[in-house]
């Protein structure tokens, strides 16, 4: 009976959790969903994956333990759904590949060796790229820490990172174009002060 009570209470718990989420928190969940799609799944966008996770929670296929934070729970569910979907897709691709005629050994070997000798594989290039990536990550963390309490700027940062157009921010998160431009100017001023000569936004 207790399990039935918990299941019956899920819709109201979900409603409360979703209503309490800020736009930034929702955008972060969509970003996590986007990361889950890396590697190929049948889900075409992060919102579809997020909605599927919510749907499976509502119909009881996924159990949301009482007391577990919604963000952590739904992220785990999205990862699990995407992983399972990716495995099924890989199995389907393998079956389709097995139905294809076998290529000549020469061409198979050529395909395996195609990447060797590429300048992108040079040790110094790899180290250089890693150093640049590390610096970018550190700089971004500094910016996000500074604006962590400014919801509009955080939305703009996420939009820049994920190539989300301003109109989509307006339709999905209620951030008007005026608010967007104001937040972007604030971000630019801070970046100019913190990282002179390095702004690209």
């Amino acid at each position: 009976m207790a399990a039935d009570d918990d299941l019956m209470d899920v819709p109201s718990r979900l409603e409360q959790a979703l209503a309490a989420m800020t736009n930034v928190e929702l955008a972060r969940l969509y970003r996590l969903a986007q990361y889950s799609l890396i590697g190929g799944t049948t889900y075409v966008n992060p919102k579809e994956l997020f909605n599927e996770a919510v749907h499976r929670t509502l119909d009881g296929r996924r159990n949301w333990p009482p007391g577990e934070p919604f963000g952590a729970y739904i992220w785990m569910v999205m990862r699990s759904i995407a992983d399972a979907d990716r495995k099924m897709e890989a199995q389907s691709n393998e079956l389709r590949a097995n139905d294809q005629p076998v290529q000549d050994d020469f061409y198979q070997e050529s395909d395996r060796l195609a990447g060797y000798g590429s300048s992108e594989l040079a040790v110094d290039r790899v180290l250089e790229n890693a150093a640049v990536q590390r610096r970018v990550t550190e700089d971004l963390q500094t910016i996000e820490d500074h604006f962590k309490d400014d919801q509009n700027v955080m939305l703009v940062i996420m939009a820049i990172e994920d190539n989300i157009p301003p109109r989509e921010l307006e339709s999905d998160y209620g951030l008007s174009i005026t608010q967007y431009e104001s937040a972007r100017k604030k971000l630019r001023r801070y970046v100019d002060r913190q990282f002179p000569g390095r702004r690209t936004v």
Side-chain angles (χ1 to χ4, degrees):
M1 181 65 69
D4 291 340
D5 290 341
D6 285 343
L7 185 59
M8 290 292 293
D9 192 48
V10 165
S12 60
R13 290 170 60 203
L14 275 173
E15 184 178 2
Q16 288 181 347
L18 292 171
M21 292 187 68
T22 66
N23 286 335
V24 169
E25 289 170 336
L26 186 59
R28 282 175 175 157
L29 281 180
Y30 284 156
R31 179 189 286 184
L32 291 174
Q34 182 66 58
Y35 292 156
S36 298
L37 298 179
I38 295 174
T41 73
T42 58
Y43 295 95
V44 297
N45 59 59
K47 292 179 185 177
E48 184 181 2
L49 179 59
F50 176 80
N51 289 337
E52 179 66 18
V54 171
H55 178 69
R56 294 191 186 191
T57 302
L58 281 171
D59 67 17
R61 282 181 288 169
R62 297 285 177 160
N63 177 43
W64 179 15
E68 182 172 357
F70 174 72
Y73 162 76
I74 208 70
W75 164 224
M76 177 189 67
V77 174
M78 289 191 296
R79 286 179 57 188
S80 176
I81 293 173
D83 286 345
D85 187 80
R86 194 159 30 246
K87 289 176 182 176
M88 290 184 62
E89 186 70 7
Q91 290 173 354
S92 297
N93 290 338
E94 184 177 352
L95 290 174
R96 286 194 292 269
N98 289 336
D99 291 336
Q100 299 297 319
V102 178
Q103 291 182 334
D104 184 88
D105 289 344
F106 170 78
Y107 293 107
Q108 291 183 4
E109 189 67 23
S110 297
D111 289 341
R112 285 197 291 269
L113 296 176
Y116 287 93
S118 169
S119 61
E120 295 299 323
L121 297 179
V123 173
D124 55 346
R125 179 67 61 84
V126 171
L127 293 176
E128 178 184 340
N129 290 343
V132 170
Q133 184 62 42
R134 185 166 55 251
R135 188 180 72 173
V136 169
T137 300
E138 292 171 352
D139 290 350
L140 180 59
Q141 188 61 56
T142 298
I143 295 170
E144 290 187 347
D145 287 345
H146 180 79
F147 288 109
K148 64 181 184 296
D149 296 323
D150 191 321
Q151 180 170 272
N152 289 352
V153 174
M154 288 298 293
L155 283 173
V156 169
I157 292 172
M158 292 180 187
I160 293 171
E161 289 182 326
D162 299 336
N163 295 317
I164 300 173
R167 289 297 181 188
E168 191 170 323
L169 285 181
E170 184 176 28
S171 62
D172 290 351
Y173 304 108
L175 186 70
S176 70
I177 297 300
T178 300
Q179 290 173 314
Y180 173 86
E181 291 297 338
S182 176
R184 185 156 180 152
K185 287 179 182 177
K186 188 184 297 185
L187 173 62
R188 285 172 171 171
R189 286 196 296 268
Y190 174 76
V191 171
D192 283 341
R193 290 196 309 269
Q194 189 72 19
F195 312 105
R198 286 167 52 188
R199 174 165 65 84
T200 59
V201 297

